[in-house]
Amino acid sequence: MPRPDENPLDRMVETLGERAPIPDKAITAILQVPYVAKQLYPGSLFVREGTRADKCGILTSGLVVCQKTNRDGDRQILLVKLPGDMLGLQSLYLDTPDHNIQALTESEIAIVPSDLLKAISDEFVVVRDAISRIMLTEASMLRELILNIGQRDARARLAHFLCEFAVRIGGTNKISNRSFELPLTQEQLGDALGLTAVHINRTLQLLTRDGLIARDAKSIRFVDWDRLQDIADFSTGYLHLQK
Amino acid sequence: MPRPDENPLDRMVETLGERAPIPDKAITAILQVPYVAKQLYPGSLFVREGTRADKCGILTSGLVVCQKTNRDGDRQILLVKLPGDMLGLQSLYLDTPDHNIQALTESEIAIVPSDLLKAISDEFVVVRDAISRIMLTEASMLRELILNIGQRDARARLAHFLCEFAVRIGGTNKISNRSFELPLTQEQLGDALGLTAVHINRTLQLLTRDGLIARDAKSIRFVDWDRLQDIADFSTGYLHLQK
DNA sequence: CGATGGATTGAATCTAATCAAGGCGTGTGG
DNA sequence: CCACACGCCTTGATTAGATTCAATCCATCG
């Protein structure tokens, strides 16, 4: 659901509102924050590790990731950001980013000065609560990723990623037999799961052969959602979804 | 440095004070919070995933970890908590813990009702800032761990863990040729790094043979701190240390 | 039409896991 | 005080899962 005509700050209010009931006064304040819409090209960085953190924002379209690289330049994707997700909230509290925020696909973001959002969150307790819950949910996803990479084999790892992605884009309803677009290359999937692209390829084939998923060009269909969740050891608790 | 005679809430004020200057009024408020001192035995849980989150605390002595397990019961250690570290801050904002908090060694903690600490943080912006910075620093450590497990081989992974542990307990000064106690079994190290105990054993031997560390019973000495940092690809940025 | 980026396949290699046994130190109970 | 048990560390042999390297295929795009 791209909503190109919408004011990105409305979208921000909506995202925050999913975590706490935002009062009208706070909504008014947020909507008055000046923002800059920016287009990001695949591979370009919005936030760079070690620079000065003074801006945050919201993703309005496309796909963006938090990532870090080691000395050899190997990239580890830490978190995939979907449209509607907040970007760079860290900057409200820490002045040096510890990771990069990078576009995977062509993306659009709205950028907001961190100090203005911080001021609003200082004024309205509920806004701060919403932001804290968002940050903590991100941390929870990082923890699950550590469990995923540290303890599960490639099959379960990839299955888990697919489950998480599907739930996050589509909600939890009737996923079985529904297909969705997975706009990640196998290289990028590998970077997200600590595996090589070649092994991602083989593992995708394995999941397909086992009748868990079906795929064509860029989309994936869940053939057996229940069994996929099962082998992925996936459950939604860690996403802290609101009912 | 165990400080058994100290009021744990003083310790909490100190910990928060490292992240933001806490005003006297806030200090007074914190020191008035009722707390329960509790002893934790190795393996016992302070917070359990999926239960109700209504308490947080501070570790006063011993070693405690955040961990999750998969369906097969394999444990992944996510974060090692050292004396002075806050525990379960999540509970101020989310009502279901997404991970366990478990004692590794015999430990002492002071437990505080989350809603009381939340009330104080709602009243004093600076307290909330301190708490947010602590939570974000934890998240940063999780990200580095993902990079560590996802992209580095056992040697670098273990070296990185040792570097982090040393810096966190001892500060960054003159680490070279200094020994410190590492009260983790090889099993526990494995759980922290996504490796088996057997492989930890072999990798420790490798680091020793390469003249990077020396070890006896329970302690480790850094023989070549610079080179260890180098092969670990370690730098302290992600710890967001205050000067 | 050639160029490019991604997907696929195969063969060889390597890292880490697994399985199994033995060693060492400490604490306990007869 | 010795014997034994227990937890942890160590070692060796084998296996398995994932990487590496290299080639080919395929679709898209200028």
Side-chain angles (χ1 to χ4, degrees), chain A:
Chain A
M1 354 250 107
R3 329 182 203 177
D5 50 346
E6 195 181 350
N7 177 348
L9 295 181
D10 280 331
R11 195 74 193 271
M12 190 180 291
V13 167
E14 188 185 320
T15 296
L16 293 170
E18 283 167 15
R19 297 292 167 178
I22 312 296
D24 288 347
K25 279 180 152 177
I27 293 179
T28 307
I30 293 169
L31 294 180
Q32 278 166 2
V33 173
Y35 71 89
V36 177
K38 186 174 178 185
Q39 188 156 22
L40 254 39
Y41 297 94
S44 66
L45 299 182
F46 165 47
V47 168
R48 188 187 304 265
E49 186 179 352
T51 58
R52 174 141 191 90
D54 54 4
K55 52 190 194 294
C56 56
I58 185 166
L59 179 62
T60 51
S61 79
L63 227 51
V64 157
V65 295
C66 298
Q67 53 102 316
K68 296 186 82 162
T69 58
N70 68 9
R71 183 189 28 213
D72 298 341
D74 300 325
R75 174 176 66 171
Q76 176 65 50
I77 291 176
L78 305 160
L79 189 62
V80 178
K81 296 281 190 175
L82 304 181
D85 285 348
M86 299 290 297
L87 304 174
L89 283 179
Q90 247 203 0
S91 61
L92 303 214
Y93 297 101
L94 298 173
D95 30 75
T96 310
D98 50 60
H99 60 277
N100 306 301
I101 301 182
Q102 182 182 38
L104 237 43
T105 67
E106 204 161 301
S107 304
E108 280 168 25
I109 64 177
I111 305 176
V112 157
S114 301
D115 52 358
L116 295 186
L117 190 56
K118 171 76 161 69
I120 293 173
S121 85
D122 284 347
E123 187 177 349
F124 302 97
V125 171
V126 188
V127 172
R128 178 271 318 283
D129 286 354
I131 289 174
S132 290
R133 287 189 187 121
I134 290 171
M135 296 190 306
L136 285 169
T137 301
E138 276 188 27
S140 177
M141 293 171 66
L142 296 174
R143 279 186 282 267
E144 184 71 18
L145 180 58
I146 293 170
L147 180 64
N148 204 24
I149 296 183
Q151 302 296 339
R152 299 199 257 253
D153 65 12
R155 198 171 99 117
R157 225 185 272 185
L158 182 52
H160 192 283
F161 182 95
L162 295 178
C163 289
E164 174 175 314
F165 196 85
V167 168
R168 285 181 65 207
I169 53 167
T172 185
N173 300 331
K174 58 175 174 59
I175 285 184
S176 209
N177 209 33
R178 214 193 50 207
S179 71
F180 67 97
E181 209 196 335
L182 184 71
L184 300 188
T185 66
Q186 297 181 0
E187 179 83 40
Q188 291 165 344
L189 283 171
D191 288 350
L193 296 172
L195 298 166
T196 58
V198 170
H199 202 57
I200 291 289
N201 183 290
R202 291 177 170 136
T203 309
L204 278 171
Q205 292 180 45
L206 184 66
L207 292 176
T208 308
R209 209 176 318 131
D210 289 351
L212 296 161
I213 59 171
R215 36 188 205 125
D216 54 80
K218 272 249 168 272
S219 73
I220 288 207
R221 184 164 50 87
F222 289 114
V223 174
D224 193 338
W225 172 244
D226 291 339
R227 204 151 60 86
L228 191 72
Q229 274 183 296
D230 187 56
I231 72 150
D233 192 16
F234 178 81
S235 58
T236 59
Y238 74 96
L239 293 172
H240 295 287
L241 302 171
Q242 317 298 299
K243 43 263 95 183

Side-chain angles (χ1 to χ4, degrees), chain B residues 42 88 98 131 155 161 173:
Chain B
D98 49 61
I131 289 175
R155 198 171 100 116
F161 183 95
N173 300 331

